[in-house]
């Protein structure tokens, strides 16, 4: 906000947090004080503003899916604004990418996925369409464990060709 470093001045209206246009008021203290323009009015209004922030990957917290083991279903990460900020629009996952090929993919099969995030504009944030935190917004869907089939057996070859069979 607007600050004063003079002993003869106090300021109010100078501590905002949200994007917008504001007016602070500087007050001369009693005594023999005057403004730098040599006027002695008791107050001066000072216009000031805070612009909207352009979202950065560090402003967003991405949480990988829980139970990320292949089961044939889509695994979804989630994304939200870091708790120290307010005023972003909706935050959604915009796409998943295979980091080895760069191709956009659906997060279903076992493998590693890179998350990209979209932020809608809000009261304090501009919009962003494809944020990524390289190397940090990845998750892996593990292969499902498979047990060997039960109840099968093998038979010795029954002919001179030497081929056996599975029972």
């Amino acid at each position: 906000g607007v600050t004063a470093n003079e002993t003869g001045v106090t300021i109010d209206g100078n501590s905002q947090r949200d994007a917008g246009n504001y007016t602070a008021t500087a007050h001369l203290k009693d005594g023999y004080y005057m403004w730098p323009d040599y006027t002695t009015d008791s107050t001066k209004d000072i216009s000031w503003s805070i612009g909207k922030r352009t979202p950065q990957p560090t402003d967003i917290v991405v949480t990988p899916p829980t139970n990320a083991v292949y089961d044939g279903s889509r695994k979804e990460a989630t994304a939200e604004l870091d708790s120290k900020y307010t005023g972003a629009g909706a935050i959604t996952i915009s796409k998943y990418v295979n980091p080895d090929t760069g191709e956009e993919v659906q997060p279903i099969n076992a493998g590693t996925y890179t998350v990209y995030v979209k932020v809608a504009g809000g009261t304090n944030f501009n919009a962003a369409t494809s944020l990524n935190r390289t190397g940090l917004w990845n998750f892996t869907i593990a292969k499902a464990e498979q047990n060997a089939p039960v109840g099968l057996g093998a038979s010795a070859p029954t002919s001179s060709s030497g081929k056996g069979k599975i029972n």
Side-chain angles (χ1 to χ4, degrees):
V2 178
T3 61
N5 62 2
E6 300 294 326
T7 57
V9 178
T10 60
I11 297 180
D12 58 36
N14 63 331
S15 60
Q16 297 295 331
R17 175 183 164 112
D18 294 326
N21 297 316
Y22 301 98
T23 301
T25 302
H27 305 270
L28 282 178
K29 290 186 179 178
D30 290 338
Y32 297 102
Y33 296 104
M34 77 174 57
W35 299 107
D37 64 3
Y38 301 107
T39 61
T40 56
D41 300 336
S42 62
T43 62
K44 289 265 187 191
D45 287 339
I46 303 164
S47 297
W48 62 286
S49 64
I50 299 174
K52 289 185 179 186
R53 181 175 172 79
T54 297
Q56 302 297 310
T58 54
D59 301 339
I60 310 298
V61 176
V62 170
T63 304
T66 58
N67 193 24
V69 176
Y70 174 77
D71 62 6
S73 67
R74 183 179 167 97
K75 305 297 182 186
E76 298 280 346
T78 60
E80 62 186 359
L81 189 63
D82 188 297
S83 62
K84 66 183 171 188
Y85 297 111
T86 62
I91 298 173
T92 56
I93 305 300
S94 60
K95 63 184 176 180
Y96 297 93
V97 172
N98 177 324
D100 295 328
T101 65
E103 291 181 64
E104 186 173 342
V105 292
Q106 296 300 315
I108 296 172
N109 294 319
T112 299
Y113 298 86
T114 299
V115 177
Y116 286 79
V117 173
K118 178 180 179 179
V119 179
T123 56
N124 289 328
F125 279 85
N126 294 313
T129 57
S130 192
L131 292 177
N132 174 259
R133 202 157 174 202
T134 305
L136 297 176
W137 289 354
N138 291 350
F139 69 90
T140 300
I141 298 175
K143 293 180 179 180
E145 292 201 20
Q146 293 182 333
N147 295 322
V150 293
L152 297 178
S155 299
T158 57
S159 68
S160 61
S161 68
K163 295 182 181 174
K165 65 179 187 174
I166 297 178
N167 299 328

